[in-house]
DNA sequence: AGCCGCTTGTGAATGCGTGCACAAAATCCG
DNA sequence: CGGATTTTGTGCACGCATTCACAAGCGGCT
């Protein structure tokens, strides 16, 4: 699996069509429950969306190796999931497989991209050009995948105007203005925690509906704004929990083994 | 073995005890199914662990502001979750609240830290000291939270020996050796995707049981190794999906509104 | 053509996580 | 001292997610 980043760019295909989110299930229109505002448009599980993105990357790797079709089993193991789960995930976006054969790699790629809204580029702004912000601004993997970084912001006067990754840093008070005029879709917050909420507010003011937050704080946003957080400290703590759990399991297993052996049992 | 270990009550004070992982559910010990190796020791939901880490941070913020006790409602809103969920999460680790009052901030802090295994420091190694690796190595938030970075690795000969964040960079072929001798608990992979698997193998070889992977690849590891991945491209794609979905909802709402208004309905 | 083997797509079963709602506990207050 | 008030801890029900298992469909082979 020789993944080569920078998958050229098949960002072609303006595909003026709608993302075609399925909404009907087995029995779509039966008035059971009718929970007031039955906006049952949202049908594809959040967890599945995350995996679709993984499949997409695996697929692009396979396409590079010249694969034309792929079975659910292959794709699933490559993506590290159960094949049944993969098929169910794919079934949410339509039926693009051929029984007895598998899926056509490029068809599947296009369809997943469409559902994920990747046919249109989503412009990104990064706020807080410190250690992390520099890494993000310089990272080539985002533009290459349809997420061009089109604005940088900071408060530090020494940074304003300096180009980072080919883009000059602007002052945070221009966030609403610039985001609105450049039609920024996604704001990335890499400021210190204390500044994150204020920055977020400015982004929302500028019409940004999606925020990726690296600062370890819980952001407060209006309902129509989607926030995802990446919290490395929490990731480490989850891992730490597993260390502790495993250690304890080892201990209890050892005592169990000791007990067993003292009983003459075989473990 | 019918140990329904309902931690009998207030073992509060003596902190030196084991994490006391609960294992029983409603009907703990009935031989139904008996799925071969019934190591049902793991009882605290993964999702809850992640939230516990969030609570911990909120708590530390509250402690700084001099709060002594906190109610589930306060803590929940500060952490951005439902208060019932918070109480359920806390119930997994024991009963440390006082009805009618709330939780003592420092008691709760200590208990969560214990369950997460944060009473012991977990040593961290970072592999791949590029853009991202530099940011990680320089980040002060990790040591401050009990995760000292104690080893850095790269292949680039220009980097070997150079101190980054006060720690010299070592060559990746020394990973197994150094990780074993320094008792590294967590390995962080920030290399290009193509190198990630090989690096991971070396970490495992060095006795590292936990891996945090920033490279966009699915790592293959033996069963006892825990991997968490942080994949920014996927985060962006999930956000992109929501942009697409919302856009479509807006469209369908608009058409619905048009239809409704043409019918004389009120929307 | 017709059968056979392979793979998809999906009903159904199970399990997990969430949120409600309330009894139990503890404090406060008159 | 007893009841009002507050807040925890959890039983329960519901909905989402995962997994199984298999019929339906497709291509290839004879
Ligand atoms: N560096 C890491 O590896 C790492 C890891 C985990 C989490 N984080 C989090 O990411 C965030 C950034 O980390 P970092 O290491 O890049 O920090 P940093 O201190 O290197 O950079 C912060 C940047 O934000 C700027 N800034 C400060 N106040 C601002 C404001 N009000 N508006 C806009 N910009 C402002 C600063 O000028 C600086 O350039 C922090 O919240 C940190 O906790 C970083
Ligand atoms: N920079 C970002 O903001 C960002 C964002 C998302 C994902 N990522 C991912 O994080 C990883 C690192 O990104 P980066 O921007 O720091 O890349 P980078 O190119 O700046 O750094 C990579 C580093 O890894 C080292 N390296 C190369 N091969 C190695 C090997 N076999 N063993 C050890 N080290 C090796 C290189 O010498 C370099 O120092 C990549 O997988 C990238 O896809 C980065």
């Amino acid at each position: 699996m020789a993944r080569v980043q920078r998958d050229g760019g098949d960002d072609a295909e303006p595909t003026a069509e709608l993302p075609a989110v399925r909404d009907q299930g087995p029995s779509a229109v039966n008035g059971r429950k009718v929970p007031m505002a039955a906006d049952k448009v949202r049908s594809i599980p959040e967890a599945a969306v995350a995996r679709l993105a993984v499949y997409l990357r695996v697929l692009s790797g396979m396409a590079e190796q010249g694969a034309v079709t792929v079975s659910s089993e292959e794709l699933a193991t490559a993506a590290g999931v159960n094949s049944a789960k993969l098929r169910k995930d794919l079934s949410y976006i339509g039926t693009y497989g051929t029984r007895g054969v598998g899926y056509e790699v490029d068809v599947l790629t296009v369809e997943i991209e469409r559902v994920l809204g990747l046919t249109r580029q989503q412009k990104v702004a990064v706020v807080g050009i410190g250690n992390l912000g520099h890494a993000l601004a310089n990272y080539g993997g985002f533009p290459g995948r349809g997420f061009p970084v089109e604005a940088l912001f900071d408060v530090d006067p020494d940074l304003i105007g300096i180009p980072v990754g080919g883009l000059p840093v602007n002052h945070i008070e221009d966030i609403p203005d610039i985001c609105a005029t450049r039609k920024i879709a996604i704001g990335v917050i890499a400021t210190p925690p204390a500044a994150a909420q204020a920055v977020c507010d400015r982004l929302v003011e500028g019409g940004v509906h999606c925020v990726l937050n690296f600062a370890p704080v819980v952001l407060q946003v209006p309902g129509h704004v989607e926030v995802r957080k990446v919290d490395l400290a929490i990731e480490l703590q989850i891992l730490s929990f597993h260390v502790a759990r495993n250690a304890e399991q080892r201990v209890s297993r050892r005592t169990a083994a000791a007990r067993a052996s003292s009983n003459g049992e075989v473990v």
Side-chain angles (χ1 to χ4, degrees), chain A:
Chain A
M1 53 174 94
R3 273 265 324 109
V4 186
Q5 61 182 12
R6 173 60 53 100
D7 73 341
D10 51 347
D11 56 332
E13 241 54 64
T15 339
E17 286 186 16
L18 284 175
V21 177
R22 290 159 43 108
D23 61 4
Q24 53 91 271
S27 57
V29 205
N30 56 355
R32 238 182 38 192
K33 282 292 190 59
V34 186
M36 197 59 79
D39 267 357
K40 214 51 192 295
V41 185
R42 165 204 152 269
S43 77
I44 171 166
E46 180 84 13
V49 174
R51 286 191 297 268
L52 284 173
V54 176
Y55 306 152
L56 194 54
R57 182 156 48 224
V58 174
L59 282 170
S60 92
M62 288 175 166
E64 276 173 24
Q65 292 180 353
V68 177
T69 62
V70 61
S71 73
S72 65
E73 193 61 43
E74 291 174 84
L75 190 51
T77 54
V81 302
N82 186 307
S83 75
K85 194 191 301 195
L86 177 133
R87 286 199 300 276
K88 181 140 290 193
D89 287 345
L90 293 184
S91 78
Y92 291 124
I93 68 174
T95 67
Y96 301 107
T98 305
R99 296 174 185 223
V101 178
Y103 302 87
E104 240 173 290
V105 171
D106 53 353
V107 170
L108 207 48
T109 301
V110 167
E111 294 304 331
I112 295 178
E113 281 178 348
R114 183 161 63 179
V115 171
L116 295 184
L118 302 178
T119 50
R120 213 168 64 82
Q121 300 232 330
Q122 310 282 354
K123 295 170 186 166
V124 174
V126 180
V127 188
I129 313 299
N131 282 317
L132 190 56
H134 266 89
L136 294 170
N138 284 319
Y139 184 48
F142 295 160
R145 295 211 162 265
F147 295 96
V149 178
E150 304 224 333
L152 305 178
F153 301 98
D154 206 299
V155 268
D156 189 342
D158 295 345
L159 277 171
I160 310 291
I162 306 287
V164 175
L167 206 60
V169 178
N170 295 298
H171 193 272
I172 55 163
E173 71 186 15
D174 297 328
I175 288 178
D177 207 22
I178 293 180
C179 286
T181 59
R182 296 192 196 168
K183 300 239 186 309
I184 300 294
I186 300 177
V188 177
I189 299 180
T191 66
Q197 183 64 60
V199 161
C200 180
D201 293 344
R202 284 218 178 80
L203 286 169
V204 172
E205 201 182 326
V208 173
H209 286 204
C210 294
V211 171
L212 184 57
N213 178 31
F214 285 88
V217 285
V218 180
L219 292 179
Q220 209 64 33
V221 293
H224 62 84
V225 175
E226 190 77 24
V227 176
R228 291 191 67 87
K229 73 169 195 290
V230 174
D231 194 322
L232 306 188
I234 284 181
E235 297 296 329
L236 291 181
Q237 288 176 8
I238 294 171
L239 287 173
S240 169
F241 167 76
H242 287 110
V243 174
R245 183 169 60 83
N246 289 339
E248 193 188 344
Q249 264 187 6
R250 259 192 301 282
V251 168
S252 69
R253 233 198 311 273
R254 191 154 53 223
T255 55
R259 245 190 301 108
S261 72
S262 75
N263 287 348
E265 295 175 16
V266 179
V267 191

